[in-house]
Amino acid sequence: MRLLYYPGCTLYSKAKNLDLCGRRTAERLGVTLDELPSWNCCGAIFNTGSDDLAGQVGPVRVLAKASQLGDKLVTLCAACYNVLKRARARLNAPGNELERQRIMEFVDEKMERDVKVVHYLEVLKQDIGWEAIRSRVVKPLQGLNVASYYGCLMVRPREVLSFDDPENPMVMDELVATLGGEPVRFEFKTECCGGYLVVNRREVAQDCSMRVVDNARNWGAELIVTTCPLCQYNLEIAQKRGRAEAQNVPVLYFTQLLGLALGLPQEELGFEDNKLDPVGFLKEKGLL
């Protein structure tokens, strides 16, 4: 299976391990992620201003470039997924024909066909299937209690993203169970980590992130997984700044956990880029 892939900017800089493990695990599962040969930043945040069409140019250009090669585009980053899906919905909304025309004239790329934006988690569940993934597991995550943290961007707004239950999403929990781990139920799986407030209101982001981590920890989580580079950064940096190392809960990308279970070599798991080193903990659990 070959799928068009949009990595986005952050996966080429701060979240290289999310990207690398995504590509390598896909190969292990018989999927080739074909990166778009030409792409730009999606904008990172969906612009809801009704009169600011410039904010739509970036994501619409990505969709147009993808439409020239196929009808399905895979992302790994929660922010890219959110922005691209919302841009597509706005572009195709009834009554927006004039706006669509103005944007497309500015983008100056032909939209060959409609493009469905999907997340790699959806590919794992719907295109590959849990049973097929389970059959490829070489290192079951037995005895590992994992909290799946989705944050805001994967599930909201519900009417556009239609990703999962916005209050209690389960797809990452199902993946954890498929890999042999123990999904941990906790209450803050879709609460905000503080997002970009970490830039100018660090104390607010710190509090938000620590509430997520402490809630997961109180429910028995030994490790947290996410698919959002900003969430991953915030949850790690809040712990690093806020308490003793021994009390920290490692925060991995779900692709790193998937790669671990599928037997990727340690040099392809990108743990050196995690701000909280998970290697010692994973060795204690017998997973490295």
Side-chain angles (χ1 to χ4, degrees), residues 28 133-141 179 258-264:
R28 291 281 176 116
I133 295 172
R134 185 177 289 111
S135 70
R136 304 290 182 92
V137 171
V138 298
K139 190 176 295 181
L141 308 179
L179 303 179
L258 175 59
L260 184 66
L262 295 182
L264 290 186

Side-chain angles (χ1 to χ4, degrees), residues 162-279:
S162 301
F163 171 77
D164 203 336
D165 184 329
E167 300 298 331
N168 187 28
M170 291 300 295
V171 63
M172 268 197 293
D173 299 74
E174 293 169 7
L175 175 62
V176 169
T178 297
L179 303 179
E182 289 292 332
V184 173
R185 173 184 174 271
F186 73 117
E187 294 151 331
F188 280 45
K189 60 166 51 176
T190 60
E191 297 298 315
C192 182
C193 68
Y196 288 107
L197 287 175
V198 72
V199 176
N200 60 349
R201 297 286 304 278
R202 180 186 295 179
E203 71 285 357
V204 176
Q206 174 93 9
D207 289 345
C208 291
S209 292
M210 289 307 298
R211 290 175 65 199
V212 172
V213 172
D214 287 338
N215 184 258
R217 186 187 179 93
N218 290 339
W219 279 91
E222 301 171 288
L223 184 145
I224 297 173
V225 287
T226 184
T227 182
C228 176
L230 184 56
C231 294
Q232 203 267 352
Y233 174 84
N234 278 347
L235 298 189
E236 282 199 319
I237 205 71
Q239 295 185 79
K240 201 172 177 70
R241 289 169 176 159
R243 62 186 178 198
E245 183 178 349
Q247 298 175 306
N248 289 335
V249 179
V251 185
L252 303 187
Y253 290 116
F254 77 96
T255 55
Q256 291 179 294
L257 198 66
L258 175 59
L260 184 66
L262 295 182
L264 290 186
Q266 190 171 335
E267 59 268 24
E268 292 185 0
L269 293 171
F271 292 144
E272 66 277 7
D273 291 329
N274 287 71
K275 291 178 174 51
L276 301 178
D277 186 358
V279 172

